[in-house]
Amino acid sequence: MSNSLIKQVLATSLIWATSVSISLAQAETDTSFKDTLAVKGLKLGAKALNYQADASKGEALANQRCIACHGDAMLKMMTTYPDIKGQKAAYLFKQLVDFKRGDRSDPLMQAQAGMLSETEMKDVAYYYSTQTASDLSK
């Protein structure tokens, strides 16, 4: 292979890798979830749709409301409780909305979700999506 061909291949690969990284970074930082399949059918208001989730607000809410059941200590004892760390934010948000609206039934979760606004749900969902799933095998 000639040097110029190798340079062209390397340049093309670098451009492609850069564009993929930028796309992935944009996807990871878009915290509105408005274009995801999980939330398409939810009929959310513009405020909730366009709200950019805040992981620090979500962490505060998670530490107040969610940690009792979804924290590592409880997950080790109650294997039926889901480890929601690392789940997709839009998926978690949809589940919270479904609990609040009564489309999904669980008395504890319906009560917890019922106390959250849709923007707070986005914050919590986004926070958990940024976490690494727990290693419960220890």
Side-chain angles (χ1 to χ4, degrees):
M1 237 186 213
S2 71
N3 280 341
S4 64
L5 181 59
I6 292 171
K7 287 178 184 178
Q8 285 178 331
V9 169
L10 289 173
T12 303
S13 299
L14 182 60
I15 291 168
W16 177 82
T18 302
S19 67
V20 168
S21 318
I22 290 170
S23 296
L24 288 173
Q26 288 170 340
E28 290 172 7
T29 58
D30 179 12
T31 57
S32 68
F33 322 144
K34 65 183 175 187
D35 296 324
T36 61
L37 289 174
V39 299
K40 283 216 185 277
L42 291 180
K43 298 180 182 159
L44 300 168
K47 179 181 177 186
L49 273 176
N50 296 317
Y51 177 74
Q52 295 292 316
D54 183 326
S56 62
K57 289 180 183 176
E59 180 178 19
L61 286 165
N63 286 333
Q64 292 170 359
R65 300 182 184 268
C66 310
I67 199 166
C69 295
H70 296 288
D72 291 345
M74 182 59 78
L75 292 173
K76 288 178 182 177
M77 293 185 288
M78 296 297 293
T79 57
T80 57
Y81 289 1
D83 181 6
I84 56 178
K85 292 179 186 172
Q87 292 286 339
K88 301 253 186 233
Y91 170 79
L92 293 172
F93 174 68
K94 181 185 185 311
Q95 301 315 304
L96 287 168
V97 170
D98 285 349
F99 280 123
K100 184 171 185 163
R101 292 181 179 176
D103 295 334
R104 189 163 176 195
S105 180
D106 179 275
L108 287 173
M109 282 305 302
Q110 286 174 305
Q112 289 298 317
M115 291 187 274
L116 298 172
S117 69
E118 289 174 344
T119 55
E120 289 173 324
M121 289 181 201
K122 280 187 148 184
D123 291 337
V124 169
Y126 182 59
Y127 166 71
Y128 273 109
S129 75
T130 65
Q131 303 303 297
T132 302
S134 306
D135 181 5
L136 303 174
S137 64
K138 295 178 182 178

